[in-house]
Amino acid sequence: MEQTAVRRKRARPLSPEERRDKLVDVTLTLLREHGRAVTTRQIAAAAGVAEGTIFRVVESKEELVELAITRAFEPGALVDRIAEIDLDQPLHVRLVQLSSILQQRFRATFELMKKVGMVRPADHVHDSPEAVEMRNYVHALLEGVIGPDRVRLSVPAGDFVHRLRLLTFAGSHPHIADGHLLTPEEIVDTLLHGLLRDEGRDS
């Protein structure tokens, strides 16, 4: 009986852009663990490619590291996670979920910046037209979480969202918060109800 050779279906080769994206993602993951001390050998092993492949995509490790750091400041999954918030839930619940999403994002960013020795984002990451446009888009998404409950606020929805982000940012930074991080519930309760006891509030 003649044996039939079974050929395994080979995976489609990655395009140069896809290979670059994969290497950037892998590098970002490794930066969170090793900082700038990460080696191209480690990156290649984690990406499942030969070390020489890296230098067919970028000119140096430093270029790849900078690309990975830039990606860390892109909204990425943040947009999807905000969009997944159920707008039929009570306002307090929605805001706690939103603050939790932002807090996780901030803390991951703070940890990465510390690991790679950054004190602030690079100008092109924060001030480029693309960055400003995306920041405005995310801000609109945040306002969308408030929805029709915006009529219950004493300030415009944009102002409320700005304060939510500021308080979440400060309450999530270990140095700014003096090591006493705020929980999402504490952040939202402070914004919605303040810190006076009920009997001490102005009527």
Side-chain angles (χ1 to χ4, degrees):
M1 179 177 178
E2 183 179 352
Q3 295 182 345
T4 302
V6 178
R7 297 181 179 178
R8 293 184 178 179
K9 186 177 181 180
R10 294 182 179 179
R12 178 181 62 84
L14 296 179
S15 69
E17 293 77 15
E18 290 171 330
R19 186 175 296 110
R20 177 188 174 101
D21 281 343
K22 180 178 181 180
L23 286 170
V24 170
D25 286 339
V26 167
T27 302
L28 178 55
T29 298
L30 292 174
L31 282 174
R32 297 186 188 279
E33 180 180 357
H34 303 286
R36 292 182 182 273
V38 65
T39 67
T40 52
R41 179 174 296 182
Q42 289 172 317
I43 294 170
V49 300
E51 192 171 359
T53 300
I54 293 175
F55 300 104
R56 290 197 290 272
V57 175
V58 294
E59 293 185 0
S60 65
K61 187 194 83 170
E62 289 69 27
E63 180 184 350
L64 187 55
V65 166
E66 292 307 317
L67 288 171
I69 292 174
T70 297
R71 176 157 297 177
F73 287 94
E74 296 172 355
L78 177 69
V79 170
D80 295 332
R81 295 190 64 194
I82 294 173
E84 289 172 356
I85 295 176
D86 184 356
L87 301 183
D88 291 330
Q89 298 177 107
L91 177 63
H92 185 277
V93 174
R94 300 198 308 268
L95 293 178
V96 168
Q97 291 179 353
L98 179 57
S99 181
S100 178
I101 292 169
L102 292 175
Q103 186 172 70
Q104 291 171 26
R105 166 78 172 193
F106 286 143
R107 293 184 66 179
T109 302
F110 297 152
E111 290 170 5
L112 175 65
M113 291 175 67
K114 180 179 179 181
K115 203 74 176 178
V116 299
M118 293 179 67
V119 295
R120 63 183 297 274
D123 289 342
H124 74 277
V125 170
H126 189 267
D127 300 329
S128 69
E130 295 78 12
V132 172
E133 181 180 0
M134 181 54 70
R135 193 157 55 247
N136 291 336
Y137 175 70
V138 172
H139 191 88
L141 282 179
L142 301 181
E143 287 191 37
V145 174
I146 299 174
D149 284 303
R150 66 182 60 216
V151 300
R152 301 171 57 195
L153 302 176
S154 62
V155 297
D159 190 2
F160 181 88
V161 164
H162 177 66
R163 298 185 193 192
L164 174 67
R165 292 184 70 176
L166 283 179
L167 189 53
T168 303
F169 180 93
S172 305
H173 195 292
H175 297 307
I176 297 175
D178 290 329
H180 301 289
L181 302 183
L182 297 178
T183 67
E185 290 80 6
E186 290 170 334
I187 292 168
V188 173
D189 284 345
T190 299
L191 279 173
L192 291 182
H193 309 299
L195 297 175
L196 288 176
R197 296 180 185 273
D198 289 342
E199 63 269 20
R201 294 176 182 166
D202 295 334
S203 57

